[in-house]
Amino acid sequence: MIRTILIDDEPLARDIVKHYLSNFPEVEIVAECSDGFEGIKAITQFRPDFIFLDIQMPKINGFEMLELVENPPAVIFTTAFDEFAIKAFEVNAVDYLLKPIEQERFEQAMQRLPAKLKQPEMTTELLETASLSPAQHNRVVVKSNGVIKIIAVADIHYFEADDDHVKLSTTDGIFYKNKTMSFFEKTLDQEQFIRIHRSYLINLGQVTKIELKEKDSYIVLLKSDIWLPVSKTGYVKLKAALGL
Amino acid sequence: MLTRKAQKTAALLYLSWTVAFILLFFYTLNFSWPESIADSLITNTLLAFSCIVISTVLRFYQPKDEITLFVLILAAVLAVLIAFVSKFLLSHLFLNDHTYVNFLGFSLIFRVIVLFVFLAWCAFANVLWYRLEEQSEMKERLFNAQNLAKEAELNKLRHQLQPHFLFNSLNSVYALTIVNPKEAGTMITKLASFLRGTLKRDDEVWVSVAEEMEYIQLYLDIEKVRFSHRLNLDINIDEDTMGLSLPGTLLQPIVENAIKFGLYNTSAAILISIFVKVKDNLLEISVENPYDPEMKATGGTGFGLSAIRRRLYLLFADSTLLQTSATKENKYITTLKIPQKI
């Protein structure tokens, strides 16, 4: 038996996938979810072999959901219209079905499935390409102690490199995200977030003071009363961003 | 100003022109080498400077009418100036050679004529050049403007069609053809009526409350099919509003917004209420939707109503006609007021 979960906020959209799946007796639907939170729960609980995943869903979108799942299963995306998502799929050769979903196309995807089940690791590049979508510029989704938190970028004070993680200092506390500094530098608004140092990416709105520490070496004070070092190239960027 | 290549060409032209005159003076008029070289060098250098002066003047100032007269006078003045300056310099340099000084005297008028013709030609070439440049610049600007207009129209069209809504609705219709064919038929006709209404809509065209609410009802019916039991509606239209009217492009985006933040952002069942009434001689429509206060913070653009506010300002010069408020029960209320045409 191959086990699957359907994640889509529209019941009729799930119905059509269910209908198509009735031709595949070897596939068992173990759960149906109508948003990303339910999706994460169901995936952790049932550990399906693959999932059908919609992109635009309540609360968190399909990509954000995948970011939060450890060892995500193979995915067949289903989406109506999202230029960025489709670009991400095309770039990374993942299987995706455009709504309305054609039966023939569906069966094609199912035929490709066995090969994908053997190597279910979702390429990180897919998520990186997808994250260029404007929808994901104004928030960051993190998981801490099993709770999912959606953070508005305005509430982020700064990012700090921390081994293979990135530490986020926010109004609501400290969070960690399994990404690189350059990922955030690339995807967030480059006029708002400035890489002042190899280890620090700061929210320009949080800066209250820049001081000369010693010759050619500056430090910056944030509203949260934290001093951070500024590298030489970081100082150039900071000056340009502040229009000095 | 000039490209490197143009500078090189100009320098080369100047040099060969000067050498040609040196040879001309030496071989045909039998001057000595120093005289030939000095005469050609001084006259042609002055000529070259004059050309630059003309070119610069014409770049920044070209009289709209009388351009021909302006150019001719400019060329004549410069020609006379060059002729006299070169004569003055050369006659002081070669005081002792009487034949040469004599020659300078009687060739003066001839020199003025040649210089004038040359400078006039240079000036007209410049005028032509700048005109052509201006024309191609204008063409480019026009081309860019057209492109921008096209892009804006395309964006407007794309927005009007709401591709996300459209494709998802089509997917629902498709599913219905299998699970509930009769309902599918109804849905297709509703979708068609809604799209027809969308295409007809324009800022300038006012529609009656009855017609507008029918259009909104179609939109909500389609969303109801997509989200079935999750979407509940409470629509209250006061009897005395039926004869009133409003621009047909304002209400749908507000309802769409209510759906976006009330329905798309949650997986629970929700209620959207619409009240249409008359208040202080204004048509007043309020739309209420629940919202997730945490989501609001991450939505960024304040529920994206700024475009509607801007349109209201353009239509009525009053941006207070759209008001929003949030209640403690996490209900978001959008109120639209429409002054009536008399």
Side-chain angles (χ1 to χ4, degrees):
Chain A
M1 252 340 204
I2 304 172
R3 298 156 81 241
T4 189
I5 293 177
L6 315 185
I7 307 169
D8 196 313
D9 58 330
E10 294 184 43
L12 281 168
R14 297 197 299 268
D15 284 349
I16 192 75
V17 173
K18 254 189 289 186
H19 173 76
Y20 286 154
L21 278 176
S22 60
N23 292 337
F24 297 86
E26 71 279 15
V27 177
E28 184 194 359
I29 301 168
V30 290
E32 282 185 45
C33 310
S34 56
D35 66 44
F37 289 177
E38 281 180 32
I40 294 172
K41 235 187 275 169
I43 292 170
T44 330
Q45 188 183 342
F46 296 107
R47 302 262 50 142
D49 300 297
F50 77 107
I51 57 175
F52 289 93
L53 181 61
D54 187 15
I55 310 298
Q56 293 224 356
M57 287 189 299
K59 292 170 189 159
I60 55 172
N61 70 35
F63 293 130
E64 288 167 335
M65 189 206 89
L66 278 181
E67 280 179 15
L68 297 173
V69 174
E70 273 166 55
N71 309 317
V75 180
I76 296 179
F77 287 98
T78 59
T79 187
F81 179 84
D82 184 333
E83 287 165 78
F84 288 93
I86 291 167
K87 201 171 116 203
F89 302 145
E90 279 167 355
V91 170
N92 299 287
V94 170
D95 220 347
Y96 63 98
L97 300 169
L98 292 178
K99 293 174 181 175
I101 301 165
E102 222 181 321
Q103 179 146 20
E104 221 170 283
R105 186 66 190 75
F106 183 90
E107 277 161 11
Q108 226 176 56
M110 290 302 289
Q111 269 157 23
R112 282 188 210 149
L113 192 62
K116 290 171 60 89
L117 290 180
K118 280 182 205 130
Q119 34 178 227
E121 71 272 5
M122 276 290 310
T123 43
T124 43
E125 284 121 82
L126 169 78
L127 293 176
E128 301 226 343
T129 320
S131 65
L132 295 176
S133 144
Q136 298 191 39
H137 282 172
N138 45 24
R139 62 189 201 189
V140 175
V141 180
V142 293
K143 203 158 95 175
S144 82
N145 304 326
V147 179
I148 292 157
K149 184 121 185 64
I150 301 166
I151 306 166
V153 290
D155 292 337
I156 299 173
H157 301 162
Y158 66 93
F159 296 86
E160 183 179 350
D162 189 75
D163 285 339
D164 51 347
H165 283 70
V166 170
K167 185 171 114 184
L168 284 73
S169 288
T170 76
T171 315
D172 296 336
I174 307 281
F175 298 97
Y176 292 88
K177 181 106 181 163
N178 201 353
K179 288 269 185 214
T180 62
M181 291 292 279
S182 61
F183 168 81
F184 287 113
E185 196 185 357
K186 215 165 52 194
T187 50
L188 294 173
D189 182 0
Q190 289 174 4
E191 281 175 15
Q192 194 189 351
F193 285 89
I194 310 296
R195 183 84 174 259
I196 54 158
H197 188 273
R198 202 162 42 86
S199 305
Y200 297 100
L201 177 68
I202 60 162
N203 186 343
L204 204 57
Q206 291 288 324
V207 174
T208 56
K209 217 196 284 184
I210 304 171
E211 257 180 31
L212 187 69
K213 196 172 153 215
E214 47 202 63
K215 191 178 172 296
D216 270 350
S217 141
Y218 290 84
I219 45 175
V220 66
L221 178 66
L222 302 187
K223 280 182 189 156
S224 45
D225 253 346
I226 286 172
W227 288 98
L228 295 177
V230 182
S231 70
K232 224 183 228 171
T233 46
Y235 183 64
V236 174
K237 280 190 230 169
L238 194 61
K239 247 175 40 175
L242 290 166
L244 295 174
Chain B
M1 218 161 82
L2 282 175
T3 60
R4 253 234 142 74
K5 209 176 149 197
Q7 279 173 2
K8 247 189 209 162
T9 316
L12 205 67
L13 209 67
Y14 163 74
L15 276 178
S16 43
W17 188 255
T18 309
V19 169
F21 269 84
I22 293 173
L23 297 177
L24 183 83
F25 288 143
F26 184 75
Y27 286 110
T28 60
L29 300 170
N30 293 323
F31 295 162
S32 65
W33 276 118
E35 282 161 355
S36 301
I37 290 171
D39 193 328
S40 174
L41 210 59
I42 287 174
T43 315
N44 285 319
T45 306
L46 286 170
L47 184 64
F49 273 115
S50 301
C51 281
I52 292 171
V53 167
I54 284 180
S55 178
T56 314
V57 167
L58 289 173
R59 169 182 289 264
F60 296 108
Y61 177 67
Q62 287 197 21
K64 277 273 170 292
D65 12 74
E66 310 286 359
I67 177 97
T68 318
L69 192 66
F70 175 73
V71 163
L72 290 178
I73 290 174
L74 191 66
V77 168
L78 284 169
V80 171
L81 203 70
I82 297 171
F84 276 95
V85 169
S86 63
K87 183 187 171 226
F88 174 79
L89 289 175
L90 289 166
S91 55
H92 273 79
L93 269 176
F94 304 102
L95 262 178
N96 304 325
D97 188 341
H98 291 291
T99 354
Y100 179 69
V101 175
N102 266 342
F103 166 79
L104 283 176
F106 78 76
S107 73
L108 186 66
I109 185 76
F110 183 68
R111 279 175 192 247
V112 169
I113 292 169
V114 171
L115 285 167
F116 170 73
V117 169
F118 189 93
L119 285 173
W121 174 81
C122 165
F124 280 117
N126 265 294
V127 170
L128 198 70
W129 169 258
Y130 287 132
R131 293 245 163 122
L132 281 176
E133 212 172 44
E134 202 177 314
Q135 218 169 41
S136 71
E137 239 171 64
M138 213 143 78
K139 251 190 207 153
E140 201 175 320
R141 262 206 302 270
L142 197 71
F143 181 73
N144 283 342
Q146 273 172 344
N147 262 356
L148 278 178
K150 249 187 234 163
E151 213 167 286
E153 194 163 341
L154 199 68
N155 271 336
K156 191 179 144 210
L157 221 70
R158 201 174 284 157
H159 181 79
Q160 260 181 357
L161 273 182
Q162 309 170 46
H164 191 254
F165 165 78
L166 186 60
F167 288 115
N168 272 314
S169 302
L170 285 173
N171 193 48
S172 298
V173 176
Y174 185 43
L176 281 177
T177 58
I178 292 154
V179 297
N180 189 347
K182 200 172 154 231
E183 180 82 7
T186 323
M187 174 92 160
I188 286 175
T189 49
K190 277 187 177 160
L191 196 55
S193 304
F194 175 73
L195 287 176
R196 206 168 287 129
T198 305
L199 290 177
K200 222 168 51 186
R201 255 134 240 273
D202 187 280
D203 267 346
E204 300 303 317
V205 180
W206 286 56
V207 294
S208 71
V209 167
E211 193 184 328
E212 181 69 358
M213 290 315 290
E214 207 176 304
Y215 174 67
I216 296 296
Q217 187 71 52
L218 280 171
Y219 173 66
L220 291 170
D221 281 350
I222 295 165
E223 291 288 31
K224 225 171 139 66
V225 172
R226 281 178 62 195
F227 296 98
S228 60
H229 60 277
R230 274 187 48 212
L231 175 59
N232 298 296
L233 298 171
D234 176 22
I235 300 178
N236 306 278
I237 308 171
D238 285 359
E239 205 54 52
D240 55 349
T241 61
M242 281 306 196
L244 305 180
S245 53
L246 69 161
T249 46
L250 298 173
L251 188 53
Q252 199 273 336
I254 292 173
V255 177
E256 187 189 327
N257 218 45
I259 292 272
K260 196 170 153 200
F261 289 97
L263 184 69
Y264 293 175
N265 249 335
T266 168
S267 28
I270 62 130
L271 172 72
I272 287 186
S273 319
I274 302 179
F275 299 93
V276 185
K277 54 190 169 211
V278 186
K279 205 173 166 190
D280 306 328
N281 286 325
L282 296 173
L283 171 64
E284 186 183 294
I285 304 176
S286 43
V287 180
E288 299 181 11
N289 63 278
Y291 76 95
D292 184 340
E294 259 180 65
M295 285 292 164
K296 196 194 169 203
T298 56
T301 52
F303 283 138
L305 291 170
S306 54
I308 301 168
R309 199 163 273 138
R310 205 170 53 238
R311 287 233 289 285
L312 276 169
Y313 184 76
L314 288 175
L315 286 164
F316 304 107
D318 184 353
S319 45
T320 64
L321 293 173
L322 183 76
Q323 252 141 27
T324 59
S325 57
T327 69
K328 265 184 255 148
E329 299 85 48
N330 291 336
K331 211 179 244 183
Y332 194 77
I333 305 170
T334 312
T335 307
L336 173 70
K337 291 180 189 157
I338 303 290
Q340 291 301 298
K341 275 190 184 170
I342 307 154

PDB file of all heavy atoms in Angstrom, chain A residues 81-95:
ATOM      1  N   PHE A  81      -3.063  29.102  -9.730  1.00  0.00           N
ATOM      2  CA  PHE A  81      -2.383  30.181 -10.425  1.00  0.00           C
ATOM      3  C   PHE A  81      -1.399  30.830  -9.480  1.00  0.00           C
ATOM      4  O   PHE A  81      -1.786  31.413  -8.484  1.00  0.00           O
ATOM      5  CB  PHE A  81      -3.390  31.232 -10.911  1.00  0.00           C
ATOM      6  CG  PHE A  81      -2.741  32.375 -11.621  1.00  0.00           C
ATOM      7  CD1 PHE A  81      -2.435  32.276 -12.959  1.00  0.00           C
ATOM      8  CD2 PHE A  81      -2.421  33.544 -10.948  1.00  0.00           C
ATOM      9  CE1 PHE A  81      -1.832  33.323 -13.626  1.00  0.00           C
ATOM     10  CE2 PHE A  81      -1.806  34.594 -11.608  1.00  0.00           C
ATOM     11  CZ  PHE A  81      -1.513  34.485 -12.955  1.00  0.00           C
ATOM     12  N   ASP A  82      -0.161  30.696  -9.761  1.00  0.00           N
ATOM     13  CA  ASP A  82       0.857  31.330  -8.945  1.00  0.00           C
ATOM     14  C   ASP A  82       2.132  31.314  -9.773  1.00  0.00           C
ATOM     15  O   ASP A  82       2.811  30.309  -9.860  1.00  0.00           O
ATOM     16  CB  ASP A  82       1.040  30.569  -7.639  1.00  0.00           C
ATOM     17  CG  ASP A  82       2.022  31.271  -6.724  1.00  0.00           C
ATOM     18  OD1 ASP A  82       2.907  31.982  -7.226  1.00  0.00           O
ATOM     19  OD2 ASP A  82       1.911  31.098  -5.505  1.00  0.00           O
ATOM     20  N   GLU A  83       2.421  32.453 -10.386  1.00  0.00           N
ATOM     21  CA  GLU A  83       3.549  32.503 -11.310  1.00  0.00           C
ATOM     22  C   GLU A  83       4.844  32.017 -10.669  1.00  0.00           C
ATOM     23  O   GLU A  83       5.620  31.292 -11.263  1.00  0.00           O
ATOM     24  CB  GLU A  83       3.760  33.928 -11.793  1.00  0.00           C
ATOM     25  CG  GLU A  83       2.706  34.385 -12.768  1.00  0.00           C
ATOM     26  CD  GLU A  83       2.734  35.891 -12.932  1.00  0.00           C
ATOM     27  OE1 GLU A  83       3.622  36.369 -13.644  1.00  0.00           O
ATOM     28  OE2 GLU A  83       1.877  36.568 -12.336  1.00  0.00           O
ATOM     29  N   PHE A  84       5.054  32.438  -9.408  1.00  0.00           N
ATOM     30  CA  PHE A  84       6.316  32.114  -8.752  1.00  0.00           C
ATOM     31  C   PHE A  84       6.410  30.633  -8.442  1.00  0.00           C
ATOM     32  O   PHE A  84       7.447  30.019  -8.611  1.00  0.00           O
ATOM     33  CB  PHE A  84       6.478  32.944  -7.487  1.00  0.00           C
ATOM     34  CG  PHE A  84       6.764  34.357  -7.793  1.00  0.00           C
ATOM     35  CD1 PHE A  84       5.746  35.284  -7.878  1.00  0.00           C
ATOM     36  CD2 PHE A  84       8.059  34.764  -8.066  1.00  0.00           C
ATOM     37  CE1 PHE A  84       6.011  36.596  -8.187  1.00  0.00           C
ATOM     38  CE2 PHE A  84       8.342  36.076  -8.387  1.00  0.00           C
ATOM     39  CZ  PHE A  84       7.312  36.999  -8.447  1.00  0.00           C
ATOM     40  N   ALA A  85       5.263  30.080  -7.998  1.00  0.00           N
ATOM     41  CA  ALA A  85       5.252  28.665  -7.679  1.00  0.00           C
ATOM     42  C   ALA A  85       5.555  27.858  -8.935  1.00  0.00           C
ATOM     43  O   ALA A  85       6.416  26.972  -8.928  1.00  0.00           O
ATOM     44  CB  ALA A  85       3.903  28.267  -7.112  1.00  0.00           C
ATOM     45  N   ILE A  86       4.905  28.225 -10.035  1.00  0.00           N
ATOM     46  CA  ILE A  86       5.090  27.452 -11.261  1.00  0.00           C
ATOM     47  C   ILE A  86       6.537  27.554 -11.733  1.00  0.00           C
ATOM     48  O   ILE A  86       7.134  26.585 -12.182  1.00  0.00           O
ATOM     49  CB  ILE A  86       4.087  27.930 -12.333  1.00  0.00           C
ATOM     50  CG1 ILE A  86       2.680  27.518 -11.882  1.00  0.00           C
ATOM     51  CG2 ILE A  86       4.391  27.312 -13.688  1.00  0.00           C
ATOM     52  CD1 ILE A  86       1.553  28.155 -12.642  1.00  0.00           C
ATOM     53  N   LYS A  87       7.124  28.734 -11.551  1.00  0.00           N
ATOM     54  CA  LYS A  87       8.529  28.897 -11.907  1.00  0.00           C
ATOM     55  C   LYS A  87       9.389  27.960 -11.052  1.00  0.00           C
ATOM     56  O   LYS A  87      10.291  27.295 -11.556  1.00  0.00           O
ATOM     57  CB  LYS A  87       8.949  30.350 -11.686  1.00  0.00           C
ATOM     58  CG  LYS A  87      10.174  30.719 -12.484  1.00  0.00           C
ATOM     59  CD  LYS A  87      10.426  32.204 -12.420  1.00  0.00           C
ATOM     60  CE  LYS A  87      11.742  32.458 -11.732  1.00  0.00           C
ATOM     61  NZ  LYS A  87      11.840  33.779 -11.142  1.00  0.00           N
ATOM     62  N   ALA A  88       9.070  27.916  -9.759  1.00  0.00           N
ATOM     63  CA  ALA A  88       9.835  27.051  -8.851  1.00  0.00           C
ATOM     64  C   ALA A  88       9.754  25.598  -9.296  1.00  0.00           C
ATOM     65  O   ALA A  88      10.746  24.880  -9.287  1.00  0.00           O
ATOM     66  CB  ALA A  88       9.324  27.208  -7.424  1.00  0.00           C
ATOM     67  N   PHE A  89       8.550  25.186  -9.702  1.00  0.00           N
ATOM     68  CA  PHE A  89       8.386  23.801 -10.143  1.00  0.00           C
ATOM     69  C   PHE A  89       9.200  23.531 -11.393  1.00  0.00           C
ATOM     70  O   PHE A  89       9.874  22.518 -11.515  1.00  0.00           O
ATOM     71  CB  PHE A  89       6.923  23.501 -10.470  1.00  0.00           C
ATOM     72  CG  PHE A  89       5.995  23.727  -9.328  1.00  0.00           C
ATOM     73  CD1 PHE A  89       4.714  24.209  -9.547  1.00  0.00           C
ATOM     74  CD2 PHE A  89       6.384  23.444  -8.034  1.00  0.00           C
ATOM     75  CE1 PHE A  89       3.838  24.420  -8.505  1.00  0.00           C
ATOM     76  CE2 PHE A  89       5.521  23.654  -6.983  1.00  0.00           C
ATOM     77  CZ  PHE A  89       4.244  24.150  -7.219  1.00  0.00           C
ATOM     78  N   GLU A  90       9.102  24.458 -12.335  1.00  0.00           N
ATOM     79  CA  GLU A  90       9.770  24.238 -13.610  1.00  0.00           C
ATOM     80  C   GLU A  90      11.275  24.173 -13.428  1.00  0.00           C
ATOM     81  O   GLU A  90      11.948  23.329 -13.999  1.00  0.00           O
ATOM     82  CB  GLU A  90       9.384  25.335 -14.605  1.00  0.00           C
ATOM     83  CG  GLU A  90       8.031  25.030 -15.216  1.00  0.00           C
ATOM     84  CD  GLU A  90       7.427  26.205 -15.963  1.00  0.00           C
ATOM     85  OE1 GLU A  90       8.017  27.296 -15.938  1.00  0.00           O
ATOM     86  OE2 GLU A  90       6.347  26.013 -16.549  1.00  0.00           O
ATOM     87  N   VAL A  91      11.780  25.069 -12.589  1.00  0.00           N
ATOM     88  CA  VAL A  91      13.222  25.104 -12.354  1.00  0.00           C
ATOM     89  C   VAL A  91      13.681  23.801 -11.714  1.00  0.00           C
ATOM     90  O   VAL A  91      14.732  23.272 -12.027  1.00  0.00           O
ATOM     91  CB  VAL A  91      13.582  26.303 -11.445  1.00  0.00           C
ATOM     92  CG1 VAL A  91      15.017  26.222 -10.992  1.00  0.00           C
ATOM     93  CG2 VAL A  91      13.332  27.603 -12.183  1.00  0.00           C
ATOM     94  N   ASN A  92      12.877  23.252 -10.837  1.00  0.00           N
ATOM     95  CA  ASN A  92      13.339  22.106 -10.062  1.00  0.00           C
ATOM     96  C   ASN A  92      12.712  20.776 -10.463  1.00  0.00           C
ATOM     97  O   ASN A  92      12.857  19.789  -9.775  1.00  0.00           O
ATOM     98  CB  ASN A  92      13.101  22.371  -8.580  1.00  0.00           C
ATOM     99  CG  ASN A  92      13.878  23.583  -8.118  1.00  0.00           C
ATOM    100  OD1 ASN A  92      15.087  23.510  -7.981  1.00  0.00           O
ATOM    101  ND2 ASN A  92      13.192  24.691  -7.946  1.00  0.00           N
ATOM    102  N   ALA A  93      12.002  20.778 -11.597  1.00  0.00           N
ATOM    103  CA  ALA A  93      11.476  19.549 -12.169  1.00  0.00           C
ATOM    104  C   ALA A  93      10.708  18.696 -11.168  1.00  0.00           C
ATOM    105  O   ALA A  93      10.826  17.483 -11.140  1.00  0.00           O
ATOM    106  CB  ALA A  93      12.605  18.741 -12.798  1.00  0.00           C
ATOM    107  N   VAL A  94       9.922  19.357 -10.330  1.00  0.00           N
ATOM    108  CA  VAL A  94       9.057  18.616  -9.411  1.00  0.00           C
ATOM    109  C   VAL A  94       7.721  18.445 -10.116  1.00  0.00           C
ATOM    110  O   VAL A  94       7.384  19.209 -11.007  1.00  0.00           O
ATOM    111  CB  VAL A  94       8.856  19.443  -8.120  1.00  0.00           C
ATOM    112  CG1 VAL A  94       7.783  18.839  -7.249  1.00  0.00           C
ATOM    113  CG2 VAL A  94      10.155  19.546  -7.376  1.00  0.00           C
ATOM    114  N   ASP A  95       6.967  17.428  -9.727  1.00  0.00           N
ATOM    115  CA  ASP A  95       5.704  17.255 -10.411  1.00  0.00           C
ATOM    116  C   ASP A  95       4.640  18.173  -9.843  1.00  0.00           C
ATOM    117  O   ASP A  95       4.508  18.306  -8.631  1.00  0.00           O
ATOM    118  CB  ASP A  95       5.236  15.793 -10.326  1.00  0.00           C
ATOM    119  CG  ASP A  95       4.626  15.394 -11.658  1.00  0.00           C
ATOM    120  OD1 ASP A  95       4.358  16.294 -12.477  1.00  0.00           O
ATOM    121  OD2 ASP A  95       4.424  14.197 -11.878  1.00  0.00           O
TER     122      ASP A  95
END
